Structure formats: structure tokens, C-alpha cells
Amino acid sequence: MKKLLTLSLVLGCSNLAYAETNTLQLQDVFNLEYANQIDITEDGKTVYFVRNRMDIKTDRKVGNIWSVDYKTKQMQPLTSGIHMDYSPVLSPDGERLAFISTRDGSSQIYIKWLKTGAMAKISNLTSSPHAITWSPNSNQLIFSMFVPSATSAPVSLQGKPKGATWAEPAKFIDDVYYRSDGGGYTQKGFNQLFTIDANGGNAKQLTHDEFNNASDVSFSKDGKSLYFSANRHENYQLKPTNSEIYQLDLASQNITAITDRNGPDEQPKVSPDGRYLAYTGYDDKRTNYENTQLYIRDLKTANTTSLTPDFDRSVGQIKWSANSKGLYFSYNDKGQTALAYQPRNGKRKIITEQIGSVAFGRPYSGGDFDVSEDGEVAFTLADTQRPSDIATIKRGKAQRLTTLNKDALGNKALAKVEEIWIKSSHDELPIQGWIAYPPEFDSSKKYPLILEIHGGPVANYGPHFSTEIQLFAAKGNVVLYMNPRGSNSYGKEFAQTIHHNYPSNDFDDLMTGVDAVIAKGFIDESKLFVTGGSGGGVLTAWIVGHTDRFAAAVVAKPVINWISFVLTADFYPFFADYWFPGKPWDHIEHYMKRSPISYVGNVKTPTMLLTGESDYRTPISETEQFYQALKLQGVDTAMVRIPNASHGITARPSNLMTKVAYIQWWFDKHTK
């Protein structure tokens, strides 16, 4: 009873306490906003974006489309309502804005006439459209949509009497990919390309074959053909990364492969002058990581060149300059997202290193940008103190256009975040991290330390706003988060140190970071805690199997046994081929050597597990294995199951609150 009462106090702060405090509280999640999905007008005077917020009544993220004026910073809503409006795309003539909305209960395509303010739904689709693209003459839209296949069960029972009630029919599955995280058990079918008149009407299907035709689409300058990315190989299901760029002739609907190599080719973008095709990709070597390069193909000569052969970072989003002389691209570097301009010939130039994350929950890098005809850049701007706003760069100078969280965070005392670098005890490899200090931090006092570990494992944290980190710090914790070896944004060699070798010496990196913070003199060593989700959950489970220095741990949505993971996860052909030297039955010793379950006999740390019940990326059976093993070992353990939640537990705001509250409760429970 006492434990339940303690938990209820954590989960449900009184209105009085909420009103009096000036630190971030769980309920504040519903007050936060962030901007993403940018589209800037050709003259650079107006930026359109999606303004996201959390609705407390529906417990859902909602989004509407807004504009902000570059000169006056005046914001105006283009849409409103408790639903999702997203993917805004300006027409080439600048007169209309197409977007997708759930306002009628399903995802449909809408058009906003910018001069008159009129708005209309132009589609009546049976599935959700994705990645709408305007034709060059602004008359049509291209999009992709799932089309179910006609199927029938191979067995049909006979003899059912009239009025009898029999069991629900069996479900027959024979697909390689039969369930997906966040989507559940899948229906047979494929993503196909469609076109629809910009004034509305019936959508026309352009592709009809049994391949998933991706939504990266770009028109030729004359509008007679389009380029798209897809994996249309015979063995596409077992070789999921081998996509190519294809050309679709709109008149004949003939499809021609433009690229032909083993590896992903994506993001086709035809240059404004129609001469070149840019795209991203790399040669697949079946490693855990390769740098994505930027390529251009001369459509007249068919000559193809990489513009980034010696660039030791992965190219992200790309966009041509208006004069077709080069491309802008984003990339991650040391936990930050940067934007560069790469001419077709010559040296690249860094435009900004301040593109802000739109991750919201945890401090992952990322963000969005767009470029006007005159080269003015609009981008998401964020830092450790604020979620993403809209900013622009003109003539090399950046300015913030919005302050979306001034009301929600203006009077809040937030955690200050400090960058640190350490040299790993394993091999002196430089490792970057960040320390979040609780509000009103006093270095003469002693504080609990939470080590929070990112997922991936090939991903990266950075100096970005994080609701979860801020909430932990508001409870009086110092929080350390790091990018151990295997993280990206530090080059290929750094990321590949965990190839067929994960977890391993990333453990040493993390422990060195903990030691470095303790050495500063303000950490109570009896109050060391560790948590992480997904790949971070793997490392947390690995840590408690290799040291008992932590007072408590929370393992979120982990992999515990690599054999069972590869044979139950949704994207299993990729995991088996790229994360391991071969199939589990051929390499049992290797799989088990890297599995936290192999070291459960060493665990003494009180360890709680937390996973969504509908997680098909790291299925909850992984959590159940560790929970039951810990129970057999007599270790203090508990399991928190989040109903109807997939791998992205915090997709619903209350689940983010629940996650943080349970973790904090477990740590408080084991505070000496």
C-alpha cells in the first residue's frame, strides 16, 4: 500500500504544488510546442511550417499549419483544429499549399488557396497518402498510398450449421514482413504511386506491380516523367536496403532503372534546369554503418559522380540551389545537425551548425530546412533550453522568427547543459557527452547521478531540448548523456567500432563518463542510477550484468537475447544480415556472447523493465525474459507494461509522463 501511495504522489502532483513550483513538471508536457516540416516561398518572405502541440483532452499530438513573415515575424494560422495537418507543400506557382489532414477522420489531401484563403479536400482515399509532390505546372499532385492485395484463406471450413457460433477463423500468414512496429499485423498489399488533379477528382494509380514503390518522387523539368526510389529486385524482402532510382514515363507508364548497384539509392532530385539528377546512397558492404554520399547524374551523358567521396559524415536531406550549380544538404556532426552547400564543382561551405532537433522527448539530433530561390535558408532552431522554433539565414545572418514556448517555459527554471569530452578507459578514444544540472545547482552539495543512454545504437544525442532530461533534472538529479562508440556523427570508423561487436567497449566509454562526473565532486556515489531505451536498454541490461556500482536501473524496451530478438523483431532480415556475421543457428556462441541474458547471473542491481505491449521492434517477450530471469535470481525487479504502446512509447504525451514518473519512482525507491 505504501509503495502504491508513493507512486500515486509522483504521478499526480497536487494543483497547489504545480502552481507553486517554477521547475518543469510532468503536466507541463501538454504546454510544450515545436515546429517542423518547413516550406519557404521562392522570394524568401514567408515560411510555412507545422506547429505541433499536445492536446490534453485527447492525449495526442496535434498539428496545424502556420506561416511566419520574415520581416515582421508576424505569425498566422492557415489551419486550426484538434487533428493533424502535416506535410505542407507549396505549388511551383506559389498560389496554393497542399497538405495532408486527418480532420475528417482519415488522412486526406487538402488544398489551401493562399490569395483567397479558401480550403478544400480534394481526395477521398481509402488509405493514407504519403509524400505529396506537385507537378511542375502546378496542375497535379503525385503521392504514394498502400493498396491491399486480394487474398483468400487456403482453408475454408465446411459444415457450420445455420445460427451456430464458431471460433474466429484462423489467420494465415506467409509474408516475410508480417507485422511492423507502430502498425501491427500487416495486411497484404503494396505501396503504389498515384496522381490526382490539383482541383480534385479521382486518383489515378500509376504503378501496379508487387513492389513497394517509395514516396521519394521528383518530376523531370518537362513534367512528362518522374523519378522515384524503390526496391524492385526479385529478392527485395530479404535484401531490404537494395533500392534503386527509377524513371516512370507518365504517358506509357513504363518504368526504367536509372541506378544499378548493391546498396540504397534514395532521394532523387532533378535540378531546376532539368540537366542533372541528384540522389543519396552508398555501396552496401553489410556493415552496421556506412556514410551516405551525395551523387549527381548527368541525364544527357549518364555520367555519375559522388560529390562527397571524402566526406566522413552521412548526407541527410538534400535540395538543389535555384541555379542548379549545387546542392544544400544536412548532416550530423558531433551531436549537432549542420547544413552545407556543395557546388557541383568546388569546395563545400557550411551554412549553419544550428539546425535544431524536433525529437522533443530525448535529445536526439535532427531537424528540417528549406531554401528559397535567392538562397535564403529557413530551418528549425532549437537548443537545450527550448524545443524547435523557425529561424532564417539571410546574407549569412541567422535570426529567430518564432518563440513558440515563451509562455510555457519563460518562467521555468530549467537544467543548464554542459558539454564534456572524456577519453575512454579502454583505448583513450575521445567520447563526447553532456551534463544536465538541476535548477539552482550548488557545486558544494551532493546530488544523485542518472546515466541516460541513447538508442540506435547507431544514433546520436546532442545539445538539444529534451523533455525527459529536463524532468529528471527538475527532480534534483544530475543527468549525464553521452555518445559512446558506435554512435554516428563522428565518422565511419567511430560508428563501425561496434560492427559485430555490440555491446562491448561502449560499456567502458559510459563508465569513464560516470567516473569523470563523479570526479567533479558533487555526486553522491551511493545514488548512481542508469537507464536507457532500445539500444540504451540493451546497454543498461549489459551494465547491470557487468557492474553493481549502480543503486538501481531501469531497462526500457530492450533486447535481452539476440537470438530471440532476430527471430521475433519486425525487421529481422536486416538485423540478421547487418548486425551479425550470419544466421543465429550458425553463430550461436557469437549471439549469446553479446546477449545481456548471458550475464544475468551476475546481476545484483535492482532493475525495473519498461516496454510497450505492442512493441514489435524489441518485442515485449525480450522484457519478459529478463524479468523472469531476474526473479529466478532473486534480484529486486519489476515490470511496467504500457498498454497499446509501440516502440515509440512516448508517442502519446501521458505515456511520456508515465515513463519518466515510473523511472523516477524506481530510483527514489532505491535511494539510500
Side-chain angles (χ1 to χ4, degrees), residues 145-463:
M145 185 176 71
F146 177 78
V147 177
S149 300
T151 59
S152 60
V155 171
S156 178
L157 299 182
Q158 303 297 317
K160 180 180 178 181
K162 184 178 181 180
T165 302
W166 285 14
E168 183 180 347
K171 297 176 180 178
F172 177 74
I173 296 172
D174 63 355
D175 291 325
V176 173
Y177 300 101
Y178 61 94
R179 62 181 184 178
S180 64
D181 186 67
Y185 282 81
T186 58
Q187 184 180 9
K188 282 182 176 291
F190 300 90
N191 287 323
Q192 305 289 0
L193 293 174
F194 289 78
T195 182
I196 189 170
D197 190 284
N199 291 316
N202 295 319
K204 176 184 177 183
Q205 189 170 334
L206 298 176
T207 58
H208 303 271
D209 40 32
E210 295 187 347
F211 297 106
N212 286 308
N213 296 291
S215 54
D216 291 334
V217 171
S218 182
F219 274 90
S220 60
K221 187 178 181 181
D222 59 13
K224 294 181 179 180
S225 65
L226 56 85
Y227 297 86
F228 66 97
S229 170
N231 185 343
R232 297 169 59 85
H233 296 286
E234 184 177 352
N235 63 344
Y236 73 94
Q237 290 184 315
L238 294 176
K239 301 296 181 183
T241 66
N242 192 21
S243 59
E244 311 291 352
I245 306 298
Y246 295 90
Q247 182 181 25
L248 169 65
D249 183 277
L250 291 173
S252 66
Q253 295 189 14
N254 289 332
I255 296 173
T256 305
I258 300 299
T259 62
D260 181 18
R261 66 165 171 183
N262 184 28
D265 292 320
E266 299 170 327
Q267 292 194 84
K269 296 285 188 296
V270 176
S271 60
D273 64 6
R275 173 71 182 270
Y276 302 97
L277 176 72
Y279 61 95
T280 60
Y282 59 82
D283 293 325
D284 191 346
K285 300 175 183 177
R286 293 183 65 181
T287 60
N288 72 311
Y289 174 86
E290 293 290 337
N291 283 326
T292 299
Q293 296 190 44
L294 171 60
Y295 295 88
I296 59 167
R297 180 183 180 90
D298 189 320
L299 293 175
K300 289 186 177 181
T301 67
N303 290 332
T304 302
T305 305
S306 171
L307 299 183
T308 58
D310 301 317
F311 185 56
D312 195 18
R313 296 291 186 271
S314 273
V315 172
Q317 180 184 353
I318 64 174
K319 182 177 176 63
W320 277 100
S321 62
N323 59 14
S324 301
K325 292 184 177 180
L327 293 108
Y328 297 85
F329 70 87
S330 60
Y331 63 96
N332 291 333
D333 181 52
K334 298 183 177 69
Q336 286 275 35
T337 301
L339 178 68
Y341 174 71
Q342 174 65 62
R344 295 202 322 268
N345 298 290
K347 295 182 179 180
R348 73 184 62 90
K349 174 186 176 183
I350 297 175
I351 305 300
T352 181
E353 296 175 313
Q354 295 180 290
I355 292 181
S357 170
V358 295
F360 187 74
R362 293 197 278 167
Y364 287 107
S365 62
D368 193 22
F369 77 92
D370 196 18
V371 185
S372 75
E373 190 171 288
D374 293 333
E376 290 124 356
V377 175
F379 65 100
T380 52
L381 175 66
D383 54 35
T384 61
Q385 305 299 293
R386 293 289 185 273
S388 61
D389 276 303
I390 300 298
T392 58
I393 296 178
K394 287 197 175 185
R395 294 176 288 277
K397 184 179 180 181
Q399 68 166 318
R400 185 188 299 265
L401 300 186
T402 66
T403 53
L404 299 182
N405 290 281
K406 184 178 180 180
D407 54 345
L409 298 175
N411 296 320
K412 294 290 183 182
L414 297 176
K416 304 301 181 185
V417 179
E418 172 186 275
E419 179 186 26
I420 64 166
W421 283 87
I422 56 99
K423 291 186 176 181
S424 176
S425 62
H426 173 66
D427 56 4
E428 297 292 299
L429 184 68
I431 303 294
Q432 188 180 24
W434 291 266
I435 305 171
Y437 295 93
E440 300 182 5
F441 172 78
D442 183 346
S443 62
S444 67
K445 296 180 179 180
K446 296 287 187 177
Y447 294 87
L449 174 65
I450 297 177
L451 171 63
E452 208 284 335
I453 309 171
H454 75 63
V458 182
N460 67 87
Y461 276 165

Side-chain angles (χ1 to χ4, degrees), residues 83-151:
H83 45 254
M84 285 298 300
D85 298 325
Y86 59 101
S87 298
V89 187
L90 278 164
S91 60
D93 61 16
E95 295 185 359
R96 287 174 287 182
L97 188 79
F99 62 96
I100 301 171
S101 178
T102 61
R103 62 186 56 231
D104 75 344
S106 64
S107 294
Q108 300 292 337
I109 300 173
Y110 287 74
I111 298 290
K112 180 83 171 184
W113 280 260
L114 298 175
K115 289 183 179 180
T116 66
M119 184 170 70
K121 183 177 76 169
I122 66 163
S123 70
N124 189 26
L125 306 174
T126 56
S127 298
S128 298
H130 299 282
I132 50 180
T133 302
W134 285 94
S135 62
N137 61 10
S138 300
N139 290 336
Q140 289 181 308
L141 291 161
I142 299 291
F143 62 94
S144 70
M145 185 176 71
F146 177 78
V147 177
S149 300
T151 59

Side-chain angles (χ1 to χ4, degrees), residues 36-89:
N36 68 352
Q37 299 185 42
I38 293 172
D39 204 337
I40 189 172
T41 56
E42 291 301 325
D43 60 12
K45 293 180 179 180
T46 307
V47 180
Y48 297 95
F49 65 97
V50 176
R51 184 177 183 177
N52 300 278
R53 64 181 179 85
M54 312 300 152
D55 182 63
I56 197 168
K57 292 184 178 180
T58 61
D59 189 26
R60 298 283 186 183
K61 181 178 77 173
V62 298
N64 299 127
I65 299 171
W66 285 64
S67 68
V68 59
D69 184 89
Y70 167 74
K71 289 185 178 180
T72 66
K73 300 184 181 179
Q74 179 67 46
M75 292 174 55
Q76 292 187 18
L78 273 74
T79 68
S80 61
I82 309 299
H83 45 254
M84 285 298 300
D85 298 325
Y86 59 101
S87 298
V89 187

